[in-house]
Structure formats: structure tokens, C-alpha cells
Amino acid sequence: MFLMAGTMFLSGLDRLPFTDRDEGEYATVAQAMIERSDWVIPHVNGRPYYEKPALFFWLMALSFQTFGQNEAAGRLPSALAGLALVGLMAWFARRRGGDTLGLLSALMTSSSLLTVLLARVALLDMLLTLFTTASLFFFYEGYVAETDDGRRRFYLWAWLAMSLAFLTKGPVGAVVPLSAAFLTSTLNRNLFQTVKQARIPSGLLIFLAVAGPWYGLALMREGDNFWRGFFISQNVTRFSEVLLGHGAPIWFYIPVLILGVWPWSLMAAPALWRGLTGAKPAERKANPEASLNFFLGLWLAACLLIFSLSATKQPNYILPAVPAVVLLAAGWGRGLLAGGGKAKGVRVIFVLIVFVGLILAGSLMVLPPFLPSLLDQARIKINPDSSEYALPEQALALGWEVFTVGALLSGCLLAASISLFSGRRRAALIALAAAGVSLTAGLFHLTAPPVLDYLQTPARDLAFQVRQTIGREGRVASFGLYKPSMWYYTGRRIERIRTNEVRELDKFLASPERVMLLSRLSLLAVLKERPGFRLLRVAGGYILADNRAEGLRSAGGGRP
């Protein structure tokens, strides 16, 4: 199982360039930590970066220093956090339900689309989810422990894990586990008993000792700028207002979970319903399975409530809910293997799973003919100043890759259907696991490389050319292009000129020293009209230029 997870999470991490915006931004922060020898205040593109705490960047910088500054090293902390999450899921599930539940939990975690995606990118979400999950697992172990020693040990471990989550992404790292713990103890009518047993004084000391020093140093060094930049802008404002266009309806995370944890998400529904409605507090106390499902249901509900009420929404934010979904699904799967569940109910769940899977497979298989028209529409809608990607004029050559993924997925779903209606439940579950692996492996190993080569590799090539051409002191700017990955690949600060700042562009091009300009192909007609502009290279949808047009003279004399 861990061999499969290692293959899914670790293989080919260096094949794809860093994506925009967050991967490129985070890689630049880690790069700056090393270059500036400043491990307290993150910096990006020459300015302090208050958006996230430092723990993930420390790990990323350490990986860079150990394995070199490359994509695999940058993504390694997320991949290792993903592997640790698989192990943690197996450990907890085995303690709560035996070997079968542990095996199913590990299998489902390592084959879910959302889990594999976020284990393969340099984002904070997998590390955050590892620590919030550990905190909630340890809380539950302490909550149901029968001895004072067991309660003390597990509650203190829960506090430690929560402090690491807080150091990874701020308040959300504490809000998620505390909300789930509060709901569980309140609805079980033992809140005051739980508060008395939770080792709050010792736990707060652990929390402050682990998370406090960095926050204290950041506040001492940056003062009000850090308070407003991190706590107000990145937490309060992000919750109350839509930032960077990442708004979505309140029901957004329901389909994200259904598709992101497919095929296991729909299996969680029966256990979720039974867990939340099937037993009273006294009955849950006497029934470990009912107690666990109730806790997992409230964990999922807390995450959905917190992230759905937030005005700013992105698919990756809901990852801390995935372990609860997986454990609920694994419990249903264990019952299925044991012969439990009514045949009609089991068939309904499988039909729904296959239906969603066939929609996914069909969408992939019919996508290639529609790609040119979809890309043409996307080009029209792109805002040059806010979009990180520039689309080439030629269409994306993506055909056999997505068709192969769709065909494999369809075959696995057919095998699952035949097995189920033949009464072979184990074979049906294995076929569904093969479907999940086919989808995740196919998307990340077959289709992602050509897509990223189309969108991102040309920009990386131009950034490398900038790095080789102009000295560390030379000026580089982007016009109508906001692309943090270029900050990382050029290894330098890039000035930003928006499309409505033509005067700033003219001043930049009129510089007496050589300067270089990065922009997008769609703006080439505008750029050709500017004095001093010289096109050097076109790569994909991006262009590289400088200001060494023949015969141009600056107001102060000849150009070098």
C-alpha cells in the first residue's frame, strides 16, 4: 500500500515546472530565505511576504538546501506529508476498527484525486491537513481513553499537532480541530468533562512554545504591518471578502468533495447518515462504531461550515475534511466486505459511483475535439494583468492521453458493475480502487505533462534565458503579466507594469542600461509601437524583449 502511495505521490515530481500562482510564489519565498539568510520574515519578489506562516517555507528551503533548487525538492515536503497522512490514517483506522479498516483507509487516501493532487504540488494544504488530522485523531483517542494516563498523553499530542497546524497556515489550523472537538463534546453532552480532562494549561504551554516564538518575532520585527498583512488581510478579509476572484456559491465544496474523493466519497454517505442520526448519546457511548461515525460526521460538518461560510473559496481549502470522508467510506467498505448492507442499498451506491465515473470518463474521451474552440474562448476572456498564464496561438495537442484515461476508467467501472451484480463484492471494490488509481495516475502522469508543457514550460525557458543573459543587477520587468514562477526561475525581482501603465513602460524601455521585458504574445502589437522595444524571442504564449533597438538614443546621450 505504501509502495503504491509512494509511486503516486513521489514519482515524476521534477517532470513539471512550478505552476502559478501559489507554487511559483512559495518556491520564491523559500529561495529568498536561503539567499537572504532570513528565516523569520518570508520575502517574495523583493518585499516582505505576510500571507502565510513560516513552517512550510522552512521545510521547502531545507529541501532546496539538501537536494538542490529544483521542482522535486520544492514539492518533496508536500509529498512526504502525504505519505505521513496515509500512515496516520492506517494507524488510526486500525486502532478503531482493525486491519481491514486500516488497509481500506490507506488505499482510499492514496487513490483520491484531491489527496494525490495536493501531495504532488508545493502548497501548504497537505502539511496543514496532516497536522489537523493528527490533532483530531489524538483528540479522539484522548476523548475515548479509559485511563487518565491515556487521556493525558493523547490530549497533549493533540495540542502539539494543533500548534504545528497553526504554524503552517495560521488560525484555520486551530479552528478546524477545535470546532470538531467542541461539536463532538457538546452534542455528546460532556463538554465540561472534556474541558476538565483536555489538559488545557499544559496544552496552551505547548501551543505557545511551538507556535509562539515565530509569531512573536514577526510581530516584534514588522509590528503593525505584520498584524494587518497576516491576521487582518489574509484571515479576516479572506473570510469576509472575495480575494483574487476566488469566489464561489455556498454549496461549492459539496461537488468538490464528491469529485475530489471519487469513487469513495459516495460510499461515505450511508455511514455519515447513520453516524449523525442513528444513535443517541448513551447509545454512542456503548457503541464504538457509532461513536466514531458521529465524530467523523461532525468533523466533516465543521469543515464544510467553516470553509463554505468563507467568502474566498478554492478547491484545495477543503482538504482537511477528506480524512473524515475517507474513514466514513472505509467503514462502509469494511461492512460491504463482511457481507453487511442491504443488496438494494449497496447497488444504489454503486450505481451512483459508476454514473459519476462514466460522466468523468465520457468528458475526458470527448474533450480533444472541443479543445481548440474552448481555448479560443479562453483567450478572449483572459485579463492580461491578473491571469498568470498566456495561451499560445496553436491549440493544445492533447488526444490519446485523455482518451486513454477515459477508456481505462470506463473499463474499470464496467468490471465493478459486472462484479457487483454477480454478487462478488470484493471484486467490485477492487475494480473501484483500480478506477480511482486509473483516474489519478492517468491525470497526473499522462495528461498533466503535455498540459504544463503547453502552459508553463515556455515561460520557464524564457526565464532561464533572462537568468543567463542579464546580470544580477540588471532590471527585468513584466508587462501585462503577473507570473510568480518567473520570479523563481529568473532568481531575481521582476518589476510589474500593468497594461494601463504605458508611461511606466516607456520610462522602463528608455533606461540608459539594458533592460529585459517579459510579456504575453497577445500584447505584441501594443509593444511594437513603443519606442525602444526589441523582440528577442517568442515561446508559447510568452515573449521576451529588451530595449536595445538599433539607433535609439536616450535623452541623456547614446545608449550603450
Side-chain angles (χ1 to χ4, degrees), residues 21 383-388 480 482 496 520:
R21 141 178 340 187
N383 182 337
D385 290 316
S386 61
S387 175
E388 296 90 355
Y482 182 78
R496 185 181 183 187
R520 57 180 76 234

Side-chain angles (χ1 to χ4, degrees), residues 7 23 42 122 156 223 243 264 321 326-327 332 369 377 434 466 509:
T7 303
E23 265 203 310
L156 292 180
L243 297 184
W264 316 118
V326 164
L327 282 166
W332 189 85
Q377 295 176 31
V466 170
L509 292 173

Side-chain angles (χ1 to χ4, degrees), residues 368-385:
F370 294 98
L371 268 179
S373 62
L374 291 173
L375 291 171
D376 287 340
Q377 295 176 31
R379 289 188 188 93
I380 296 172
K381 295 178 181 179
I382 281 178
N383 182 337
D385 290 316

Side-chain angles (χ1 to χ4, degrees), residues 11 152 195 201 203 249 298 344 360 385 394 407 420 422 476 546 548:
S11 62
R152 179 187 64 81
V195 170
L298 293 177
K344 184 178 179 180
L360 291 171
D385 290 316
Q394 74 275 16
L420 178 70
S422 301
V476 180
D546 69 0
R548 304 193 76 176

Side-chain angles (χ1 to χ4, degrees), residues 284-411:
R284 288 194 293 271
K285 190 173 183 180
N287 185 337
E289 184 178 357
S291 174
L292 177 61
N293 286 344
F294 185 68
F295 168 67
L296 295 173
L298 293 177
W299 174 351
L300 174 57
C303 287
L304 283 172
L305 182 65
I306 292 165
F307 294 112
S308 296
L309 290 179
S310 174
T312 302
K313 297 180 178 69
Q314 292 195 75
N316 49 299
Y317 289 175
I318 200 62
L319 186 66
V322 169
V325 176
V326 164
L327 282 166
L328 287 166
W332 189 85
R334 180 186 59 174
L336 182 76
L337 293 176
K342 296 180 180 179
K344 184 178 179 180
V346 170
R347 288 177 180 176
V348 168
I349 295 296
F350 265 77
V351 166
L352 289 173
I353 292 171
V354 170
F355 177 72
V356 173
L358 289 175
I359 290 176
L360 291 171
S363 300
L364 290 170
M365 295 173 76
V366 303
L367 177 63
F370 294 98
L371 268 179
S373 62
L374 291 173
L375 291 171
D376 287 340
Q377 295 176 31
R379 289 188 188 93
I380 296 172
K381 295 178 181 179
I382 281 178
N383 182 337
D385 290 316
S386 61
S387 175
E388 296 90 355
Y389 296 100
L391 297 178
E393 291 181 346
Q394 74 275 16
L396 173 61
L398 193 66
W400 70 268
E401 297 94 345
V402 289
F403 186 86
T404 300
V405 176
L408 284 173
L409 184 54
S410 299

